[in-house]
Amino acid sequence: MTARVLIVDDVPANLKLLDAKLTAEYFDVLKASSGMEALEVAKEQQPDIILLDVMMPGMDGFEVCRRLKAMPETEHIPVVMVTALDQPKDRVQGLEAGADDFLTKPLNDLALFARVRSLVRLKMVTDELRMREATGQRIGALGTKEGDAFLMSAPGRILVIDDRPTSLKRITETLADKHNVTVAENQEDLMQLAATGDYDLHIISLTLQEFDGLRLCSQLRSLEATRQTPILVIVEEGDTTRLVRALDMGVNDYLLRPVERNEMVARARSQLKRKRYQDYLRDKFQQGLELAITDGLTGLYNRRYMEGHLATLVEEAANTGKPVSLLIFDIDHFKPVNDTYGHAAGDAVLRQFAGRISANVRGVDLACRLGGEEFVVVMPDTEIGYATTVAERLRQCVAAKPFVLDDGGRELDVTVSIGIAMTHGPKDTAAKLLERADQGLYRAKRDGRNRVAAEAA
């Protein structure tokens, strides 16, 4: 895969060397020789990943990373710090500044390229979710982005497997201070827990004696329930081959043995924060989708969704010969309800009316608010005789019990008129079906309301 890589280094020879290596691997390379230039290029060019030197005059890499993560335009761009510093405290400082990884010179090219590809793949997922959120905000289906303090407000749920007792104890004791840690005893235990436990992070040793840690990672990535959960692997220092394979199959991050406590805390926190941000974006998109297809007052599907769904069902009915029936409802004398009792009371009636419809139709039926006081129920694979029975039951359900208008307990008797139609062969259309049902509704109202009328034979 290709990507736009911004490399930042104040030494021209380092820039030239890294540029040549990345270009040979078909990456599109951008360059900056200072912290300020890096901030400007990142904001304007929007690279897919940034390789950032730490030791630069004026503004060091730690400060550059902090500023990148503080700007809305660049906070989502992965940052890999590339430096001669090799102390654990330096790695922790970089991770706490917001870096996704901290690589020590001299670089292993194979590991570097694998890490770049891995982080770019992860960024593509976030980019797609961010794009959906931006679209939702533009069309008014979503509110503006909230602050991200909530991302780490609750303990993480972490699942760990490591068959070295000392290492396992170190991991659990370190992380249990702020997170809920579960230990898997073996491969089967891990897969069962992971599939049902709804964890935020999996930590897997790649040096397991009885099991293949890479295969465990592969299985977690292949299952729908665990595909999006971050994986943090533990690997022996110098085992580049195994690390590269792990990154290529979708592992999110890694720790080198011996595991340094503060680095483990920082990497776990980074993965938990990223997962919660992606979960937040997915939830917001789902909310936006629901808002786009449902009626805000009643919670039923709206007219736009109903028309698309009905067209699909009618088309399928033309191919299969299975009928589709449609019920159209109009609450009798609804305008005087608003005029006499107020719009709040009218809304209360509409909500309760929607509830009675939903409670009296099948799961396969589609209940919708058409607009105003008009509602529709679409019934797939349903003859008009059964649809008429359902319509009559719904009419009686509405009339049988008064509707509550407000907290004061005021009540009002409500009735409904219902028109019914059924598809007629392969040349029928959704528009014609709606029109025939509407004609039945007109007859029901003309003949005295509070009744059911099917389309004319």
Side-chain angles (χ1 to χ4, degrees), residues 203 223 225 247 294:
I203 298 180
L223 297 177
L247 291 172
T294 57

Side-chain angles (χ1 to χ4, degrees), residues 284-316:
K284 292 288 282 186
F285 175 71
Q286 185 61 37
Q287 292 171 20
L289 183 62
E290 291 174 359
L291 287 171
I293 66 175
T294 57
D295 172 59
L297 177 64
T298 64
L300 300 182
Y301 289 103
N302 60 21
R303 180 171 191 147
R304 178 191 301 175
Y305 181 80
M306 183 276 296
E307 288 176 342
H309 187 71
L310 180 61
T312 300
L313 288 177
V314 171
E315 184 177 340
E316 289 179 356

Side-chain angles (χ1 to χ4, degrees), residues 333-405:
H333 304 296
F334 184 73
K335 187 176 182 301
V337 176
N338 283 329
D339 294 343
T340 304
Y341 300 99
H343 286 280
D347 289 348
V349 170
L350 293 172
R351 283 192 292 267
Q352 292 170 66
F353 184 82
R356 296 191 192 187
I357 291 178
S358 299
N360 285 277
V361 296
R362 303 169 301 183
V364 297
D365 300 329
L366 186 77
C368 317
R369 184 184 179 197
L370 201 59
E373 67 271 25
E374 285 193 329
F375 294 76
V376 163
V377 171
V378 181
M379 307 181 70
D381 194 13
T382 303
E383 297 281 354
I384 198 165
Y386 180 75
T388 301
T389 300
V390 172
E392 181 60 31
R393 184 175 73 234
L394 284 165
R395 184 197 66 79
Q396 293 176 11
C397 174
V398 171
K401 183 179 179 182
F403 285 60
V404 179
L405 300 182

Side-chain angles (χ1 to χ4, degrees), residues 159 189-202 204 215-231 249-252 275 278-279 282:
L159 179 60
D189 188 30
L190 180 129
M191 294 306 301
Q192 183 175 4
L193 286 168
T196 60
D198 192 23
Y199 291 94
D200 299 311
L201 176 64
H202 300 142
I204 298 176
R215 187 166 298 280
L216 279 178
C217 295
S218 175
Q219 290 174 339
L220 289 169
R221 279 291 168 262
S222 67
L223 297 177
E224 182 67 28
T226 57
R227 187 168 296 154
Q228 304 298 336
T229 306
I231 300 175
M249 71 173 53
V251 163
N252 299 69
K275 179 181 186 290
Q278 291 184 350
D279 288 346
R282 288 189 182 94

